[in-house]
Amino acid sequence: MTRRIGQILLSGGLDSTTLACVAQRECYDLAALSLDYGQRHRQELDAAALVAAHLALDHQVADVRFYGTLASHSALTDADQFDLPENRDTDAMSGDIPITYVPLRNTFFLTLAAAQLESIVLRRIENDGVPPEDITPVLYIAANALDYSGYPDCRPDFYATAAETLRLGSKIGTHYGLPIQIETPLIDKTKADIVRLAAELDAPLHLTWSCYNAGSRPCGTCDSCQLRQKGFAEAGLDDPAL
Amino acid sequence: MTRRIGQILLSGGLDSTTLACVAQRECYDLAALSLDYGQRHRQELDAAALVAAHLALDHQVADVRFYGTLASHSALTDADQFDLPENRDTDAMSGDIPITYVPLRNTFFLTLAAAQLESIVLRRIENDGVPPEDITPVLYIAANALDYSGYPDCRPDFYATAAETLRLGSKIGTHYGLPIQIETPLIDKTKADIVRLAAELDAPLHLTWSCYNAGSRPCGTCDSCQLRQKGFAEAGLDDPAL
């Protein structure tokens, strides 16, 4: 029986908070990473910290604002140039790639999380003397292809190939035979499924922030708010964050 | 005839400086990116700036020190825990993965450079109206498998898979049909080959820094110095940086 050493990308939204509860049940150790990339909805970072504290997760917020500067062609990182889409029908969101796409964001995020996870696993093996065969490194990402298939980096084939890149580019993958497993258990779920799962797991949804806008309350009109509202409505539950 | 829009990871060492001269001849536009990840040999960042100025390249140094903190299990990022190998025979370097391996460094670096390149290309297409079919996005990386095959993220199969990950995870790859080409023209060259190529191209090797140690002059004993010395010796040339 190997020990799962887990890492989760925690945005502070509905999906990653629910996934954190799933991962916490599956892992021996779980570390959470949030990324400050200059996103306009910085409230999600505060939400992530509250969620991590609630779940007693080891949590870091990494300052990757330079990434937002380099990958600036997006409505999430350049508020001067781009307006957020408003009041779009959720069915319309699954077609084209929206202007909220941030260049290679998930690739960048998962690489960074994987680098931290590899470092943790190398320390266990090389400093603490844990046998590699006792370890299973797992990276949890709350990607969701169903509601928002417009984003290329939320699709299953992307994650399969990314896992192979991480295996080939890492010491734990090539030398210790411990490829990082990328787990995306929410990828085929609807938002309503996720809301129901969160309720089952008693996930602290009252602490989460999904809105793409800054503000003291969710705007209710951006794509992310629209999807969240639809999810709660279809699940027949009230949103505890409102 | 499409225009190559290029991006190069410029460390300030021998290999990437030589490659910058190759890339500059091949590209319509070329941007250079250097990364401050808390490496002990910070002189390479100054060297990169001097090389970029000499070649009149658009150049940025991104502050990714948090990455060095997350991926800290390495002699390049944790001088307190690890000593650098000294006076190793260069043949011995091509076997095991050395302690100078930084977790997923090249994966992280190329993802970041690719994100910037994608942002540049999206601006050309979506803001400037350049037809996608007129653009070829190319990422140049001075990976070298021959002298230092110990690093997993310097091998050709890694770059082939990474290119597919970048294609699947990006808007330019999936929507515009413009996969980023990863070019590693030095990957099969010896250090002597690279020194000879640098001489042909009049590369500013006098400005470069290869040593893994901090200091006012190269230490001469670390793996990187040993390889560089061997390269110049085999090419029958003097190192202009000494």
Side-chain angles (χ1 to χ4, degrees), chain B residues 4-8 26-27 29-30 117 121 136-140 179-183:
Chain B
R4 284 194 157 218
I5 299 185
Q7 173 87 347
I8 183 168
E26 295 180 352
C27 292
D29 275 336
L30 180 66
L117 180 55
V121 170
T136 303
V138 184
L139 190 52
Y140 290 87
I180 289 175
Q181 296 179 21
I182 299 180
E183 301 225 343

Side-chain angles (χ1 to χ4, degrees), chain A residues 33 35 60 62-64 66-67 69-74 81-82 96-99 101-105 107-109 111-120 122-123 126-127 152-153 155 157-158 161-172 174-175 180, chain B residues 33 35 60 62-64 66-67 69-74 81-82 96-99 101-105 107-109 111-120 122-123 126-127 152-153 155 157-158 161-172 174-175 180:
Chain A
L33 183 65
L35 299 166
Q60 282 193 61
D63 174 358
V64 297
F66 71 89
Y67 163 72
T69 310
L70 295 179
S72 58
H73 191 83
S74 166
Q81 190 185 345
F82 300 103
D96 270 356
I97 298 176
I99 192 58
Y101 167 75
V102 188
L104 288 163
R105 188 182 65 174
T107 316
F108 176 73
F109 284 9
T111 302
L112 194 52
Q116 184 180 24
L117 180 55
E118 181 178 25
S119 203
I120 291 169
L122 287 174
R123 272 197 291 274
E126 297 180 357
N127 297 7
D153 49 4
R155 295 177 188 144
D157 57 346
F158 165 72
T161 308
E164 182 62 2
T165 299
L166 295 179
R167 184 183 75 77
L168 289 169
S170 66
K171 183 173 183 178
I172 59 172
T174 57
H175 181 73
I180 290 174
Chain B
L33 183 65
L35 298 166
Q60 280 193 63
D63 175 357
V64 297
F66 72 89
Y67 163 72
T69 311
L70 295 179
S72 57
H73 191 82
S74 166
Q81 190 186 345
F82 300 102
D96 271 357
I97 298 175
I99 192 58
Y101 167 75
V102 188
L104 288 163
R105 188 182 64 175
T107 315
F108 176 72
F109 284 9
T111 302
L112 195 52
Q116 184 181 23
L117 180 55
E118 181 178 25
S119 202
I120 291 169
L122 287 174
R123 272 196 291 273
E126 298 180 356
N127 296 6
D153 49 5
R155 295 178 188 141
D157 56 347
F158 164 71
T161 308
E164 182 62 1
T165 299
L166 295 179
R167 185 183 74 78
L168 289 169
S170 65
K171 183 173 183 179
I172 57 173
T174 56
H175 181 73
I180 289 175

Side-chain angles (χ1 to χ4, degrees), chain A residues 201-232:
Chain A
L201 299 175
D202 205 20
L205 295 192
H206 60 292
L207 302 174
T208 59
W209 183 273
S210 298
C211 178
Y212 281 154
N213 273 300
S216 56
R217 293 179 59 80
C219 71
T221 60
C222 71
D223 287 2
S224 189
C225 280
Q226 298 277 91
L227 282 167
R228 183 169 172 139
Q229 286 164 13
K230 177 169 175 266
F232 276 98

Side-chain angles (χ1 to χ4, degrees), chain A residues 42-116:
Chain A
R42 298 181 58 80
Q43 285 87 339
E44 69 171 13
L45 295 171
D46 299 331
L50 293 170
V51 167
H54 182 94
L55 299 175
L57 294 177
D58 173 28
H59 179 235
Q60 282 193 61
V61 180
D63 174 358
V64 297
R65 280 173 293 175
F66 71 89
Y67 163 72
T69 310
L70 295 179
S72 58
H73 191 83
S74 166
L76 291 194
T77 51
D78 187 349
D80 294 334
Q81 190 185 345
F82 300 103
D83 293 324
L84 288 171
E86 285 184 354
N87 293 313
R88 293 210 297 167
D89 187 88
T90 51
D91 293 333
M93 296 178 197
S94 53
D96 270 356
I97 298 176
I99 192 58
T100 47
Y101 167 75
V102 188
L104 288 163
R105 188 182 65 174
N106 285 1
T107 316
F108 176 73
F109 284 9
L110 78 86
T111 302
L112 194 52
Q116 184 180 24

Side-chain angles (χ1 to χ4, degrees), chain B residues 38-223:
Chain B
Q39 59 269 59
R40 55 162 98 199
H41 51 313
R42 299 180 59 79
Q43 285 86 339
E44 69 172 14
L45 295 171
D46 298 330
L50 292 170
V51 167
H54 182 94
L55 298 175
L57 294 177
D58 172 28
H59 179 235
Q60 280 193 63
V61 180
D63 175 357
V64 297
R65 281 174 293 175
F66 72 89
Y67 163 72
T69 311
L70 295 179
S72 57
H73 191 82
S74 166
L76 291 195
T77 51
D78 187 348
D80 294 334
Q81 190 186 345
F82 300 102
D83 294 323
L84 288 172
E86 284 185 354
N87 292 313
R88 293 210 297 168
D89 186 88
T90 50
D91 292 335
M93 296 176 197
S94 54
D96 271 357
I97 298 175
I99 192 58
T100 46
Y101 167 75
V102 188
L104 288 163
R105 188 182 64 175
N106 285 2
T107 315
F108 176 72
F109 284 9
L110 78 84
T111 302
L112 195 52
Q116 184 181 23
L117 180 55
E118 181 178 25
S119 202
I120 291 169
V121 170
L122 287 174
R123 272 196 291 273
R124 291 290 163 79
I125 296 171
E126 298 180 356
N127 296 6
D128 304 339
V130 177
E133 58 269 26
D134 287 356
I135 294 175
T136 303
V138 184
L139 190 52
Y140 290 87
I141 300 182
N144 184 260
L146 199 64
D147 271 329
Y148 225 12
S149 57
Y151 288 133
D153 49 5
C154 286
R155 295 178 188 141
D157 56 347
F158 164 71
Y159 287 103
T161 308
E164 182 62 1
T165 299
L166 295 179
R167 185 183 74 78
L168 289 169
S170 65
K171 183 173 183 179
I172 57 173
T174 56
H175 181 73
Y176 289 117
L178 289 180
I180 289 175
Q181 296 179 21
I182 299 180
E183 301 225 343
T184 57
L186 307 185
I187 205 156
D188 290 324
K189 294 196 189 300
T190 64
K191 276 282 187 255
D193 290 338
I194 297 169
V195 168
R196 280 187 286 260
L197 177 60
E200 269 175 48
L201 300 176
D202 205 17
L205 296 192
H206 61 291
L207 302 174
T208 60
W209 182 272
S210 298
C211 178
Y212 282 154
N213 274 299
S216 57
R217 292 179 58 80
C219 71
T221 61
C222 72
D223 287 2

